[in-house]
């Protein structure tokens, strides 16, 4: 997306990524807010879809995009859950129109219904919705492990279905919310749904987030259509994402006391700070033509090797183009029922 003074780039079938050796940096600090990174950006006439946009990071992303003039669709399982946000933005006189549509990412029929109802070019798709650490192995109606179904396969189906609308926008962006949990979980092509290996909530979550990053790498095939895709880690934030995490684990993380009170640690971000990197990737002119990369704290993350213990960064296995192409084929076959 561009400011008023920056023209929208034209398509270039021969455009390439900037060299990996020159990571993209910005002037925004790690604690910048969504409103900070979008300041000066005019999204009038642009359309955006934010999955999981009724609460948490998604709601903050919607607020920022609407404040910049975008027409925003909140894609959520329960449309009524978005009513407080819609009422808030209407009362505040947000420049951009905001409305909600039903979308259950774990249900392909719901994804197809959302796609089939879409009629306009689409400038921004923010794949924000997700579930984390389901305590027991749960399957979708298609027999997919539920975290993989919701966090990755549903978003893959949505992006694939909306590809014509993204292409028709002339220059569109896909933003995928991943997690630092991807570092410990390469994608297991031999047993992605935990049919044979013991189910582990965090391994399943981490695998789904590795898949999210690999999707953005695989989306390089859409660059000639004027579509870029980048992933991000929003940081540590307390939102509804933790609803499946038991109290003992929350206490072990240090964010719950013995009385059950939840409190963020000093390095945790607010939801608006956590949404900043999503909004940066969706709107900043600095991201024009940039695709297949992973960001955190409002800058491109360093690549880390297996075994490194320092926090942050993106694992090599999540940027592997061969794995990305293999995963794209895996997901395409899954959607066809192969």
């Amino acid at each position: 997306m561009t400011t008023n003074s920056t023209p929208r780039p034209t398509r270039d079938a021969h455009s390439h990524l900037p060299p990996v050796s020159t990571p993209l940096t910005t002037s925004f600090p790690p604690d910048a807010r969504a409103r900070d990174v979008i300041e000066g950006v005019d999204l009038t006439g642009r359309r955006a879809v934010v999955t999981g946009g009724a609460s948490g990071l998604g709601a903050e992303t919607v607020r920022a995009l609407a404040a910049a003039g975008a027409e925003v669709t909140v894609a959520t399982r329960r449309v009524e859950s978005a009513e407080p946000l819609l009422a808030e933005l209407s009362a505040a006189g947000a420049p951009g129109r905001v409305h909600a549509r039903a979308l259950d990412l774990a249900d392909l029929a719901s994804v197809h219904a959302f796609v089939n109802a879409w009629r306009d070019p689409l400038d921004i798709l923010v794949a924000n919705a997700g579930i984390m650490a389901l305590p027991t192995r749960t399957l979708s109606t298609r027999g997919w492990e539920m975290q993989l179904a919701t966090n990755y396969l549903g978003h893959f189906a949505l992006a694939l279905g909306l590809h014509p609308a993204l292409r028709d926008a002339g220059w569109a962006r896909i933003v995928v919310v991943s997690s630092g949990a991807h570092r410990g979980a390469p994608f297991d092509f031999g047993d992605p749904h935990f049919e044979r290996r013991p189910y582990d909530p965090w391994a399943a979550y981490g695998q789904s987030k590795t898949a999210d990053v690999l999707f953005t790498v695989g989306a390089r095939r859409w660059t000639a259509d004027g579509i870029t895709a980048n992933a991000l880690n929003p940081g540590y934030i307390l939102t509804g994402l933790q609803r499946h995490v038991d109290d003992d684990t929350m206490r072990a993380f240090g964010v719950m006391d013995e009385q059950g009170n939840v409190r963020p640690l000093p390095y945790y971000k607010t939801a608006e700070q956590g949404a900043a990197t999503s909004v940066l990737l969706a709107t900043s002119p600095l991201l024009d033509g940039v695709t297949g990369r992973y960001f955190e704290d409002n800058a491109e993350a360093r690549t880390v090797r297996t075994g490194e213990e320092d926090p942050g960064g993106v694992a090599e296995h999540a940027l592997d183009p061969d794995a990305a192409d293999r995963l794209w084929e895996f997901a395409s076959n899954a959607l066809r029922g192969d």
Side-chain angles (χ1 to χ4, degrees):
M1 300 302 97
T2 60
T3 63
N4 282 332
S5 61
T6 306
R8 173 181 284 177
T10 58
R11 290 185 190 169
D12 179 1
H14 302 289
S15 62
H16 298 285
L17 289 174
V20 175
S21 58
T22 56
L24 193 154
T25 61
T26 77
S27 61
F28 300 109
D31 61 353
R33 302 164 299 178
R35 73 184 78 174
D36 300 324
V37 302
I38 203 172
E39 185 177 358
V41 175
D42 183 5
L43 298 179
T44 303
R46 309 292 179 89
R47 298 180 182 88
V49 169
V50 180
T51 68
S55 62
L57 299 179
E60 294 297 345
T61 302
V62 171
R63 289 185 179 100
L65 297 177
E71 178 182 343
V72 187
T73 298
V74 177
T76 180
R77 284 195 307 119
R78 296 183 300 107
V79 172
E80 62 272 20
S81 69
E83 290 175 358
L85 176 62
L86 270 58
E88 169 203 320
L89 293 174
S90 177
R97 188 165 70 94
V98 182
H99 49 92
R101 291 187 186 179
L103 174 66
D104 183 347
L105 289 161
D107 180 357
L108 281 186
S110 177
V111 176
H112 292 155
F114 186 96
V115 167
N116 291 337
W118 192 268
R119 294 288 182 269
D120 302 305
L122 179 61
D123 299 276
I124 302 168
L125 172 60
V126 182
N128 167 83
I131 54 176
M132 182 176 74
L134 296 182
T136 59
R137 180 174 179 263
T138 306
L139 302 180
S140 72
T141 57
R142 295 292 291 266
W144 302 335
E145 190 280 315
M146 189 61 77
Q147 293 180 83
L148 188 64
T150 302
N151 299 347
Y152 169 64
L153 286 166
H155 278 128
F156 180 84
L158 180 66
L160 209 64
L162 291 175
H163 173 264
L166 292 161
R167 181 192 60 217
D168 290 348
W171 193 262
R173 295 184 184 183
I174 300 173
V175 178
V176 183
V177 179
S178 182
S179 164
H182 83 275
R183 284 186 48 176
F187 194 85
D188 189 332
F189 288 98
D191 190 15
H193 303 297
F194 292 82
E195 295 172 308
R196 293 176 296 280
R197 54 180 168 146
Y199 175 76
D200 178 271
W202 294 104
Y205 178 66
Q207 174 185 249
S208 73
K209 292 304 179 178
T210 286
D212 283 341
V213 184
L214 287 171
F215 165 71
T216 67
V217 177
R220 66 189 183 282
R221 67 197 65 212
W222 289 349
T223 305
D225 295 325
I227 302 168
T228 59
N230 292 287
L232 70 120
N233 170 17
Y236 292 97
I237 307 130
L238 290 174
T239 67
L241 187 64
Q242 289 86 23
R243 62 187 177 276
H244 297 294
V245 181
D246 62 82
D247 288 356
D248 287 343
T249 301
M250 293 290 282
R251 291 189 180 99
F253 286 165
V255 294
M256 178 181 286
D257 63 23
E258 291 304 317
Q259 288 71 47
N261 300 308
V262 176
R263 296 188 177 91
L265 293 169
Y267 56 86
Y268 273 50
K269 296 184 178 184
T270 65
E272 192 185 7
Q273 290 169 334
T277 305
S278 293
V279 173
L280 179 83
L281 298 186
T283 67
S284 173
L286 296 171
L287 272 294
D288 285 342
V290 175
T291 194
R293 299 195 184 191
Y294 178 96
F295 291 73
E296 59 190 7
D297 292 337
N298 303 309
E300 187 175 355
R302 65 187 181 90
T303 303
V304 297
R305 299 182 182 276
T306 302
E308 283 194 41
E309 296 182 359
D310 291 341
V314 57
E316 289 179 315
H317 64 247
L319 298 179
D320 181 351
D322 293 332
D325 290 340
R326 187 180 178 188
L327 183 63
W328 196 284
E329 182 179 5
F330 162 84
S332 299
N333 290 339
L335 298 186
R336 289 195 298 265
D338 295 354

